């Protein structure tokens, strides 16, 4: 089975091509460039470099988030277009799952955190057993204080990964001095991790409906601000 996987849920653009148990190639660019400009460019480059025609791809995998609203829509639209154009299935997987998968051998709580701004993170907590991940806390948008409180109550060894580490590591160490942190190269979502997770599910016949939506967890900032203004206006009227 050949799988093409991709993620554009954050600043990172990452694309990977996998064939059965082998990673044929992967591009990961952690630099602020427009996903709408470079995502298809990297896909085309990867297919060409691996001498694979798009018709040979058996399925597609994309990150469904959480993450950037615009980035998620670009990734989802791209994979849906490729899926419809080739009549091949696609599957969406959480970027948090992919981050955790890169640390699957850690004996403790695996806690990916993605920056959600305003001292909050998108997160999920996992335990690994027999090479499989299981959630102990579902996908959530939490303040840093809420995150720390949950982990303090669990009182287990924890490792953090994700772009939230760069921003909040000092605070987390202050509150959780025994916390561990993934190496930098594992703190970004890798399309190869998405592809490995997705390939097994595709083999089992799982796939997304063409109308599937990203996992946002939070409403867009503009929508939240509009709701706040409406509440203030209604309060003033009353």
């Amino acid at each position: 089975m050949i799988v093409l996987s991709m993620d554009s849920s954050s600043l990172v653009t990452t694309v990977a091509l996998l064939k059965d148990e082998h990673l044929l190639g992967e591009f990961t660019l952690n630099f602020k460039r427009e996903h709408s400009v470079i995502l298809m460019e990297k896909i085309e480059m990867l297919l060409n470099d691996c001498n694979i025609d798009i018709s040979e791809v058996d399925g597609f995998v994309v990150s469904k988030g959480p993450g950037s609203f615009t980035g998620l829509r670009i990734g989802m639209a791209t994979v849906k277009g490729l899926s419809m154009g080739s009549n091949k299935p696609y599957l969406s997987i959480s970027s948090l799952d992919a981050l955790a998968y890169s640390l699957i051998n850690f004996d403790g709580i695996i806690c990916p955190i993605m920056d959600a701004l305003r001292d909050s993170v998108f997160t999920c907590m996992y335990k690994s057993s027999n090479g499989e991940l299981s959630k102990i806390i579902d996908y959530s948008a939490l303040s840093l204080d809420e995150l720390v409180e949950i982990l303090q109550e669990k009182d287990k060894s924890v490792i953090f990964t994700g772009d939230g580490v760069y921003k909040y590591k000092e605070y987390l160490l202050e509150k959780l001095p025994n916390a561990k942190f993934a190496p930098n190269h594992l703190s970004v979502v890798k399309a190869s991790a998405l592809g490995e997770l997705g390939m097994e599910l595709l083999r089992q016949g799982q796939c997304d409906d063409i109308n599937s939506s990203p996992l946002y967890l939070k409403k867009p900032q503009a929508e939240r601000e509009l709701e706040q203004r409406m509440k203030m206006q209604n309060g003033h009227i009353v």
Side-chain angles (χ1 to χ4, degrees):
M1 172 177 274
I2 298 177
V3 167
L4 177 65
S5 56
M6 66 200 74
D7 173 57
S8 56
S9 63
S10 64
L11 290 180
V12 176
T13 301
T14 177
V15 180
L17 194 61
L18 301 93
K19 183 176 182 179
D20 298 324
E21 309 304 321
H22 303 285
L23 172 63
L24 298 181
E26 182 172 28
F27 284 126
T28 300
L29 182 64
N30 188 13
F31 190 74
K32 191 173 183 179
R33 291 186 60 190
E34 293 183 12
H35 296 302
S36 59
V37 174
I38 64 173
L39 184 57
M40 277 305 302
E41 171 190 307
K42 296 304 180 188
I43 289 171
E44 292 173 2
M45 288 176 60
L46 183 59
L47 289 168
N48 289 335
D49 287 348
C50 294
N51 197 28
I52 297 289
D53 188 84
I54 191 68
S55 63
E56 299 176 72
V57 175
D58 297 299
F60 304 91
V61 180
V62 66
S63 169
K64 65 180 177 182
S68 158
F69 294 96
T70 301
L72 288 171
R73 288 193 290 268
I74 290 170
M76 193 69 77
T78 300
V79 84
K80 286 181 179 181
L82 291 170
S83 175
M84 292 179 67
S86 62
N87 197 29
K88 302 291 178 62
Y90 86 92
L91 192 68
S92 61
I93 291 176
S94 172
S95 40
L96 296 169
D97 291 353
L99 285 166
Y101 186 70
S102 295
L103 299 172
I104 197 166
N105 292 319
F106 180 74
D107 184 19
I109 296 175
I110 304 169
C111 186
I113 52 174
M114 299 180 68
D115 185 21
L117 305 178
R118 298 189 177 184
D119 292 332
S120 65
V121 292
F122 299 122
T123 188
C124 187
M125 296 180 195
Y126 306 79
K127 287 283 289 182
S128 175
S129 177
N130 298 320
E132 293 187 1
L133 292 171
S134 59
K135 297 186 189 71
I136 55 177
I137 296 290
D138 205 358
Y139 308 123
S140 307
L142 300 175
S143 70
L144 289 177
D145 290 339
E146 290 172 327
L147 175 69
V148 166
E149 183 178 351
I150 291 171
L151 290 168
Q152 287 174 336
E153 288 177 354
K154 291 189 175 300
D155 194 28
K156 300 288 185 181
S157 177
V158 59
I159 187 168
F160 291 99
T161 184
D163 62 15
V165 169
Y166 306 128
K167 190 171 183 178
Y168 301 119
K169 184 175 182 178
E170 185 175 330
Y171 173 85
L172 292 170
L173 277 174
E174 178 185 337
K175 301 295 183 179
L176 301 163
N178 295 320
K180 297 176 174 61
F181 297 87
N184 291 336
H185 72 284
L186 294 180
S187 284
V188 295
V189 178
K190 294 293 184 66
S192 51
L194 284 167
E196 281 196 46
L197 286 168
M199 181 178 287
E200 183 58 34
L201 296 175
L202 287 168
R203 280 177 175 152
Q204 296 171 15
Q206 297 187 39
C207 62
D208 278 24
D209 181 87
I210 199 66
N211 295 314
S212 64
S213 301
L215 175 68
Y216 290 125
L217 293 184
K218 273 187 173 183
K219 295 179 180 179
Q221 179 67 22
E223 186 175 335
R224 296 199 304 271
E225 290 177 354
L226 176 61
E227 289 179 352
Q228 185 63 30
R229 287 197 299 270
M230 293 297 293
K231 287 180 181 178
M232 293 176 64
Q233 290 173 2
N234 291 337
H236 179 72
I237 291 172
V238 172

